[in-house]
Amino acid sequence: TLTWQPTLPPSDLEQYGVAQAVVGGTKIALYAVDGEYFATADLCTHGAASLADGYLDGELIECPLHQGTFNVKTGAAVGAPCTIAVKTFPVKLEDGLLHVGME
Ligand code: FES
């Protein structure tokens, strides 16, 4: 079953559109795209890089290490050298905090 875990206030995403949160020992990257919120695993599927340190361009996050890209809405790997999708998590805003739904 899905458990909703509180993370950050949406204001934490204002500057870069992306921020990291640690939920139950798992690092998550949270994103703001056109007033909607999304979350993926923070670890790039290509190597040891934090997607929260990457560059968000629209709905694409560019990994800071080799500039591969993922769609933050679907987790799909869309730009080389990334080929493996990153896990996504549902996000909802409640009581002023973004909550991430985790198994
Ligand atoms: Fe992310 Fe290589 S570690 S693209």
Side-chain angles (χ1 to χ4, degrees):
T1 55
L2 211 58
T3 309
W4 291 96
Q5 307 276 5
T7 62
L8 314 167
S11 57
D12 282 15
L13 300 177
E14 270 169 20
Q15 189 171 8
Y16 300 111
V18 54
Q20 188 193 75
V22 181
V23 180
T26 302
K27 287 181 182 167
I28 304 287
L30 288 145
Y31 312 91
V33 181
D34 296 331
E36 284 188 88
Y37 301 104
F38 302 92
T40 69
D42 185 47
L43 183 66
C44 183
T45 59
H46 180 253
S50 167
L51 294 177
D53 292 334
Y55 170 69
L56 184 68
D57 182 12
E59 59 189 61
L60 300 184
I61 183 72
E62 183 185 89
C63 177
L65 195 51
H66 308 113
Q67 288 74 52
T69 50
F70 299 92
N71 184 306
V72 304
K73 296 184 177 181
T74 64
V78 295
C82 301
T83 55
I84 302 165
V86 68
K87 186 172 169 54
T88 60
F89 302 92
V91 181
K92 68 176 179 184
L93 180 59
E94 198 173 283
D95 299 327
L97 288 178
L98 297 170
H99 287 62
V100 175
M102 302 189 72
E103 302 284 339

